C-alpha cells in the first residue's frame, strides 16, 4: 500500500521494516481515543475556518462511522499502515475520499499519539482507582467482622504483640489509600492536552487548543510543544504508582500464603479460589496469591523498561517512544486482574479465628505489658525490660507461662509486683493500648470510621 508519507520515497518499504516499525498490533487498543481526538481536532479546524465547515462535518461523520464499525468488529487493521493513527486515516479515506486528507492539517502523529496516550491513561487511572476502592471496601467490611478476633502481631516473623485481626487488615486500607492518592496525583499531570504541538515546534495555523481541550475533557493545555511531544513522565508516574501498588498486593499475597500453610493454619481458602496438584492428590495450592506476588515482577519490569527507554532520548520525539505502549498496557491488564481477584480471594477466605487466638496463648507476647506495669510503679523502662526478659527466660527454662507464676516467684524478679493478676492476657494487652492508631476496641472503631470516611 502507498504510504501516507510516501511522497519523497522512490521505493516501497521493505516488508521486514514494515513489520518491525509497525505498532498496530498493540496500539489498536487506542482506537477509541484516536477517533475521539480526531473528531475534536476536525471540529476545531472547521470552526476556526482552517478547513471548510462541510469538510469538517464529513470527516466527523466518517470517523463516527469508523468507530461504529470497529466496535462491531467489522474492521481489520493493516500492518503496512503502521499504527492506529494511520490506520484510522486510511479507513477514513476509503470512506469519504480525498476530503480525509484535510484531517491531518496542523497535526503530527507526534502530538496525536501523546494525546491518545494521555486520554487512555486518564481513563485507566479511574478504572484502577475504582478497583482499589472496591478492594478497600471489602477490607473494611472484613475488619468490622473481625474487630474482636485476636491474633499474634509479628516483627521479624516472631510473635511481637497481640493485635485484633481488624487492625492487621486495616493496615492495608491505609496503604491502598496512598496508592489511590498517587494515581490521582499522576492524573493531574496526565490531564494536560498536547495537541497543537505539531511535530515539535507548534503550528502556523490559528488552532483553538482550548476548544479541543474542552471537547476532550482536559483541564489545561501544554505550554511547550517540544516538551509536549517528548514527555512521557505521566507514563513513568503511572507505572511507578502501579509498582508500589503491586508491592502492596504482593505483601498481602505473601501473608495469605503464609497464613494458609499447615504450620499457621490461620486461613482456609475457598475451593473455588485454589488449585490442585497434578501429582499430589492432597494438595490445595494458593496459586492466586502466588500469582499476585509473582506478577509484581512484571510491574517493576515495565517501570524500568520505560525509564530506560527515556533515559538517553534527546528532544524531541524519537521512535523509541513507541515502546511506551506495551509496558503500560501490560501494567493496566495486570492491575485490573490482580486487584479484583485479591478482593475475591479475601471475601471467600475463612479466617480461622480460634487458631489465630490460640496462637497468642503462652507466647509471652504480653511481655511488654509486664514491663509497662513495672514502669507505672516507678521502674525505669530499661530496667523493667530487663526484668520482664529474665521472667521470659525463667518461664522457658521451667516450661511455664507468665500466668503460672506465683506471687512469690514474681517478687523474686521485682518487689514492685503486688499481685499475680497484673499479668493480663492478649485481650487486656490489646485493650491497654488506648491511644489514636493503637489497638483498643474504641480505637479500632475510630479507625474503621476514619477508613470509611476515606473511601470515596
Ligand atoms: N506509532 C507511533 C508511536 O507510537 C506514532 C508516532 C509516530 N511518529 C513518527 N514521527 N513516526 O509513537
Amino acid at each position: 500500500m502507498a504510504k501516507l508519507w510516501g511522497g519523497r520515497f522512490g521505493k516501497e518499504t521493505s516488508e521486514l521494516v514494515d513489520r518491525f516499525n509497525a505498532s498496530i498490533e498493540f496500539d489498536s487498543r487506542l482506537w477509541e481515543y484516536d477517533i475521539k481526538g480526531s473528531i475534536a481536532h476536525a471540529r476545531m479546524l472547521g470552526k476556526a475556518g482552517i478547513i471548510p465547515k462541510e469538510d469538517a462535518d464529513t470527516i466527523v461523520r466518517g470517523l463516527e462511522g469508523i468507530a461504529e464499525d470497529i466496535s462491531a468488529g467489522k474492521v481489520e487493521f493493516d500492518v503496512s499502515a503502521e499504527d492506529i493513527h494511520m490506520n484510522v486515516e486510511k479507513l477514513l479515506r476509503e470512506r469519504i475520499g480525498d476530503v480525509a486528507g484535510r484531517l491531518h492539517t496542523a497535526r503530527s502523529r507526534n502530538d496525536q499519539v501523546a494525546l491518545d496516550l494521555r486520554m487512555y491513561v486518564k481513563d485507566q487511572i479511574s478504572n484502577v482507582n475504582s478497583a482499589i476502592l472496591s478492594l478497600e471496601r471489602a477490607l473494611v467490611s472484613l475488619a468490622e467482622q473481625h474487630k474482636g478476633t485476636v491474633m499474634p502481631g509479628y516483627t521479624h516473623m516472631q510473635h511481637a504483640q497481640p493485635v485484633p485481626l481488624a487492625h492487621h487488615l486495616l493496615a492495608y486500607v491505609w496503604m491502598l489509600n496512598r496508592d489511590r492518592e498517587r494515581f490521582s496525583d499522576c492524573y493531574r499531570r496526565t490531564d494536560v492536552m498536547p495537541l497543537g504541538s505539531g511535530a515539535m515546534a507548534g503550528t502556523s495555523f490559528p488552532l483553538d487548543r482550548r476548544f479541543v481541550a474542552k471537547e476532550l475533557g482536559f483541564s489545561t493545555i501544554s505550554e511547550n510543544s517540544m516538551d509536549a511531544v517528548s514527555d512521557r513522565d505521566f507514563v513513568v508516574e503511572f507505572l511507578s504508582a502501579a509498582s508500589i501498588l503491586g508491592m502492596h498486593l504482593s505483601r498481602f499475597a505473601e501473608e495469605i500464603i503464609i497464613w494458609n500453610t499447615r504450620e499457621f493454619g490461620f486461613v482456609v481458602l475457598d475451593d473455588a479460589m485454589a488449585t490442585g496438584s497434578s501429582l499430589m492428590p492432597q494438595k490445595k495450592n494458593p496459586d492466586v496469591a502466588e500469582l499476585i506476588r509473582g506478577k509484581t515482577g512484571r510491574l517493576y519490569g515495565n517501570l524500568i523498561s520505560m525509564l530506560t527507554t527515556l533515559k538517553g532520548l534527546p528532544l524531541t520525539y524519537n521512535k523509541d517512544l513507541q515502546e511506551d505502549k506495551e509496558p503500560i498496557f501490560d501494567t493496566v491488564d495486570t492491575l485490573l486482574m490482580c486487584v479484583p481477584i485479591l478482593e475475591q480471594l479475601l471475601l471467600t477466605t475463612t479466617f480461622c479465628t480460634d487458631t489465630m487466638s490460640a496462637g497468642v496463648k503462652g507466647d509471652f507476647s504480653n511481655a511488654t505489658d509486664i514491663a509497662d506495669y513495672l514502669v507505672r510503679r516507678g521502674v525505669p523502662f530499661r530496667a523493667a525490660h530487663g526484668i520482664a526478659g529474665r521472667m521470659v527466660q525463667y518461664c522457658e527454662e521451667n516450661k511455664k507461662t507468665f500466668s503460672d507464676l506465683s506471687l512469690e516467684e514474681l517478687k523474686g524478679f521485682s518487689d514492685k509486683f503486688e499481685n499475680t493478676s497484673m499479668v493480663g492476657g492478649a485481650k487486656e494487652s490489646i485493650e491497654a493500648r488506648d491511644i489514636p492508631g493503637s489497638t483498643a476496641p474504641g480505637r479500632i472503631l475510630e479507625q474503621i470510621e476514619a477508613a470509611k470516611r476515606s473511601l470515596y
Side-chain angles (χ1 to χ4, degrees):
M1 185 207 87
K3 292 286 190 287
L4 291 175
W5 40 253
R8 60 104 71 220
F9 288 79
K11 269 188 176 181
E12 290 269 297
T13 320
S14 129
E15 199 250 330
L16 203 59
V17 172
D18 264 347
R19 274 195 287 133
F20 188 59
N21 204 30
S23 52
I24 185 64
E25 249 178 66
F26 47 87
D27 70 11
S28 55
R29 278 209 201 206
L30 295 174
W31 70 266
E32 225 174 326
Y33 303 103
D34 197 69
I35 291 179
K36 274 188 198 157
S38 286
I39 288 176
H41 183 64
R43 284 210 177 109
M44 181 275 296
L45 290 175
K47 189 173 146 284
I50 299 167
I51 64 172
K53 179 85 178 52
E54 317 78 73
D55 288 358
D57 291 342
T58 310
I59 290 172
V60 169
R61 273 196 307 276
L63 289 167
E64 285 167 351
I66 294 170
E68 272 168 36
D69 283 359
I70 298 179
S71 45
K74 288 194 208 148
V75 170
E76 245 190 68
F77 294 114
D78 173 4
V79 181
S80 75
E82 203 177 311
D83 56 23
I84 187 59
H85 325 295
M86 291 200 293
N87 265 276
V88 170
E89 193 176 326
K90 178 180 159 252
L91 292 166
L92 188 63
R93 183 176 296 270
E94 286 163 11
R95 212 170 252 263
I96 65 169
D98 285 344
V99 181
R102 294 199 191 278
L103 169 61
H104 213 50
T105 311
R107 189 176 70 169
S108 156
R109 276 184 294 151
N110 298 351
D111 54 353
Q112 189 178 354
V113 72
L115 174 73
D116 294 2
L117 200 59
R118 282 176 183 272
M119 286 169 39
Y120 172 80
V121 171
K122 281 173 64 180
D123 273 359
Q124 298 313 323
I125 288 175
S126 309
N127 292 338
V128 170
N129 269 353
S130 14
I132 301 177
L133 196 57
S134 175
L135 170 58
E136 288 186 72
R137 292 216 165 91
L139 282 165
V140 171
S141 79
L142 284 173
E144 283 189 296
Q145 291 165 40
H146 290 288
K147 293 190 288 266
T149 302
V150 176
M151 69 178 289
Y154 296 82
T155 62
H156 312 271
M157 277 306 282
Q158 306 288 313
H159 286 205
Q161 291 164 328
V163 292
L165 174 56
H167 201 49
H168 195 126
L169 296 171
L170 288 166
Y172 284 95
V173 171
W174 303 110
M175 293 184 223
L176 294 168
N177 267 342
R178 293 194 294 274
D179 289 317
R180 281 193 296 126
E181 266 175 38
R182 265 183 287 271
F183 281 113
S184 303
D185 193 48
C186 163
Y187 186 96
R188 286 196 301 120
R189 281 177 294 277
T190 309
D191 191 17
V192 177
M193 208 291 294
L195 215 63
S197 302
M200 53 83 74
T203 172
S204 57
F205 291 95
L207 302 189
D208 185 349
R209 298 187 61 208
R210 294 195 192 278
F211 171 84
V212 175
K214 206 160 163 243
E215 286 278 287
L216 298 174
F218 279 90
S219 313
T220 183
I221 58 175
S222 54
E223 301 282 354
N224 180 310
S225 61
M226 293 179 76
D227 180 37
V229 297
S230 61
D231 170 41
R232 294 294 183 273
D233 292 0
F234 65 101
V235 177
V236 173
E237 287 187 37
F238 181 89
L239 297 176
S240 158
S243 296
I244 299 175
L245 166 61
M247 175 269 289
H248 290 155
L249 302 180
S250 184
R251 294 181 75 169
F252 206 162
E254 169 68 7
E255 300 210 281
I256 293 168
I257 293 163
I258 295 174
W259 291 352
N260 183 57
T261 57
R262 193 177 186 87
E263 286 71 15
F264 268 74
F266 282 6
V267 293
V268 175
L269 302 180
D270 190 63
D271 275 0
M273 296 301 289
T275 46
S277 156
S278 56
L279 191 148
M280 299 162 283
Q282 85 284 7
K283 289 297 285 293
K284 180 171 156 189
N285 296 328
D287 290 31
V288 170
E290 289 171 310
L291 269 177
I292 293 170
R293 187 179 60 185
K295 283 182 189 292
T296 314
R298 64 200 294 156
L299 296 174
Y300 293 2
N302 290 337
L303 170 63
I304 297 301
S305 144
M306 191 66 235
L307 284 169
T308 311
T309 297
L310 290 170
K311 83 172 269 290
L313 288 193
L315 295 182
T316 53
Y317 180 85
N318 298 270
K319 190 68 175 234
D320 314 45
L321 290 176
Q322 183 164 287
E323 291 293 311
D324 58 2
K325 288 169 203 66
E326 286 157 294
I328 197 148
F329 293 159
D330 183 69
T331 284
V332 167
D333 291 346
T334 302
L335 291 181
L336 293 179
M337 282 288 279
C338 289
V339 178
I341 207 161
L342 178 57
E343 175 183 339
Q344 180 90 4
L345 184 66
L346 285 168
L347 288 175
T348 54
T349 289
T350 307
F351 291 87
C352 308
T353 54
D354 291 344
T355 314
M356 285 184 167
S357 49
V360 300
K361 297 236 163 64
D363 69 343
F364 306 114
S365 63
N366 51 351
T368 314
D369 301 275
I370 293 179
D372 290 352
Y373 169 93
L374 293 171
V375 167
R376 276 188 209 97
R377 277 156 190 77
V379 182
F381 179 73
R382 272 290 150 245
H385 184 286
I387 293 165
R390 283 191 288 283
M391 288 168 64
V392 172
Q393 192 183 35
Y394 173 85
C395 285
E396 280 189 336
E397 276 166 15
N398 295 282
K399 306 234 172 327
K400 290 186 173 193
T401 66
F402 287 146
S403 48
D404 298 329
L405 299 178
S406 65
L407 188 56
E408 222 181 349
E409 282 174 299
L410 289 176
K411 289 268 188 210
F413 289 102
S414 166
D415 56 9
K416 302 285 180 192
F417 284 117
E418 282 152 18
N419 51 51
T420 55
S421 61
M422 60 74 216
V423 202
K427 196 166 157 285
E428 290 73 18
S429 170
I430 285 172
E431 283 167 1
R433 295 190 291 258
D434 192 9
I435 64 160
S438 284
T439 56
R443 300 307 178 172
I444 295 293
L445 284 180
E446 271 172 22
Q447 192 187 164
I448 288 173
E449 287 317 307
K452 281 186 179 165
R453 281 195 302 276
S454 73
L455 299 184
Y456 59 85

